[in-house]
Structures are given as C-alpha cells and as structure tokens.
Amino acid sequence: MDFINSLNWRYAVNKFSSQQLSQAQLQPLIDSVHLSASSYGMQPYELLVISKDHIKQQLVPFSYGQDKIAQCSHLLVLANRVTTSKHDIDSYISALAENQQIDVEKLAGYKQTISGDLLSLSPFEQQKWSANQCYIALGKLLSCAAINHIDACPMTGFAQKAVSDALGLTERGLNAEILCPVGIRSRDDHSALRAKYRKPINQLVSLL
C-alpha cells in the first residue's frame, strides 16, 4: 500500500478494539517521533507512551469523557517544554558536538543564532514555539501509523493543565500538548464507514 493510499485509509478513530499493539508495531511510531524534524533540531518535547490501564482511565475525566483514551492500546502524549533556557541550549550544543565528533567551539556561531532567536522570546512565545514542534512530530507519527495500518486519533480537546499535573509533567517544566490514542479500530466503529471529506484540490492549492 503506497503512502497516499495509506492516508486515504486512515481516519480519526472513535472506537478502538481490545487488540493490543505489539512492541514491533509500537516501535516504528516511537521512531517516527524520534526522527522527526524540529526547529534547530532541538526537539523541545518528550513522548510519553502509556500502556497502563489505570493511568489511561485516570485521564478520561480531563478529556471531556472521551473514553477512547481508555479503550486504546496505548496512549501517546506529546509534551512540550514550557520554557527554553541558556542551559537547554548549552546542553544541546554539547550533545550535538559530541554526536558529530567536532569541537564544541566550532558550533559557537550556531549556538549564538539559536540563543539570539529563542532567548529573546517571551515565555508565552517560547511555549508556542515548542508546542509547534510537537505538531511536526505528530504529522510524522500519523503518517507512520497509517503506513503500518495502525489506527490513531490525535486530540487537543482536553484540559492540558489537569493532564500535565496528573502525569507529573508540570513539575518537570513540560506541558501535555497533544494526546494521541493508538491501536486497532473496532469493527463497529461507524466512523470508519463515513466518506473522507477534504476540500477540492483547486480550493486548497494555488499554483504560482
């Protein structure tokens, strides 16, 4: 099944089956987030992979009762860093230099560019920047899931602070930006039978 067919196959699942994903099925999803592009390559977020039923159930009241969070095989949470500090940038540059086996001083210009851009932002702007990186990773995640015939339903309709507090993210300087239940669709999920609607290409795309 090619990529476009895979995108036609996927939809936002409303009801999951009880089937559990194996580690072999789950790992590509994790890898897709790990390998995602991000601004400056900093990846200012973490991915939580929740399989424990009692944790998933605990979050249902904070997602307006959407029980797909509890039904799914695994609940993936993309949590962005609330702020970006000089220490965060220093740590990133040091890790990058080690990875590329070069002297850290050779990245001084790059570090200055990152610092000038990110440290000049307000706390609100920093959080918006890091949250946007989560959506880039989400795109990779959803595409990878579709290619592998794994169902997913990205969600932003939930109480972010309550979820962040419940998962111990707030105290770590993180914010639960996106919830994405993954698993296998239920045979009686009627949403799967609805025709996929997208704008006509000529209303979406302009050729200049």
Side-chain angles (χ1 to χ4, degrees):
M1 183 178 254
D2 66 25
F3 183 56
I4 299 303
N5 283 337
S6 296
L7 295 183
N8 275 313
W9 172 85
R10 76 156 300 276
Y11 74 106
V13 176
N14 275 317
K15 187 174 182 180
F16 287 93
S17 71
S18 60
Q19 184 176 340
Q20 296 296 297
L21 298 179
S22 67
Q23 186 59 38
Q25 290 174 301
L26 189 64
Q27 193 60 50
L29 305 184
I30 296 172
D31 291 341
S32 71
V33 174
H34 180 219
L35 294 171
S36 176
S38 68
S39 180
Y40 301 113
M42 286 190 66
Q43 296 181 289
Y45 50 78
E46 292 185 18
L47 174 67
L48 281 69
V49 181
I50 303 173
S51 60
K52 295 179 179 177
D53 289 338
H54 73 276
I55 298 178
K56 292 187 288 184
Q57 192 66 52
Q58 181 185 4
L59 301 181
V60 172
F62 307 137
S63 59
Y64 309 111
Q66 298 179 80
D67 58 4
K68 68 184 79 174
I69 284 180
Q71 293 173 349
C72 65
S73 172
H74 292 75
L75 176 62
L76 307 185
V77 182
L78 282 161
N80 63 303
R81 292 227 142 267
V82 176
T83 60
T84 299
S85 67
K86 179 180 181 298
H87 174 73
D88 295 327
I89 297 171
D90 288 346
S91 297
Y92 170 64
I93 292 296
S94 295
L96 184 61
E98 181 179 356
N99 174 264
Q100 297 182 352
Q101 298 183 337
I102 60 175
D103 191 284
V104 71
E105 291 304 318
K106 291 186 177 180
L107 294 173
Y110 189 47
K111 175 181 173 181
Q112 185 176 2
T113 298
I114 298 173
S115 299
D117 285 351
L118 298 184
L119 299 183
S120 65
L121 299 177
S122 68
F124 173 80
E125 290 170 328
Q126 283 191 347
Q127 181 161 347
K128 183 178 180 181
W129 168 77
S130 63
N132 285 343
Q133 311 314 305
C134 289
Y135 290 95
I136 298 173
L138 176 67
K140 302 293 191 298
L141 169 62
L142 295 179
S143 296
C144 181
I147 289 169
N148 288 281
H149 268 203
I150 294 170
D151 290 295
C153 182
M155 299 169 56
T156 56
F158 62 95
Q160 289 188 351
K161 187 177 187 310
V163 170
S164 298
D165 289 346
L167 295 176
L169 296 173
T170 305
E171 60 198 44
R172 296 174 52 212
L174 293 164
N175 166 68
E177 180 66 23
I178 304 166
L179 302 182
C180 189
V182 296
I184 304 299
R185 65 187 67 175
S186 171
R187 291 182 178 179
D188 59 355
D189 185 359
H190 298 297
S191 296
L193 303 177
R194 290 199 296 251
K196 182 185 289 289
Y197 172 75
R198 294 293 186 271
K199 286 182 178 180
I201 287 286
N202 62 359
Q203 292 181 18
L204 181 71
V205 178
S206 296
L207 302 178
L208 305 178

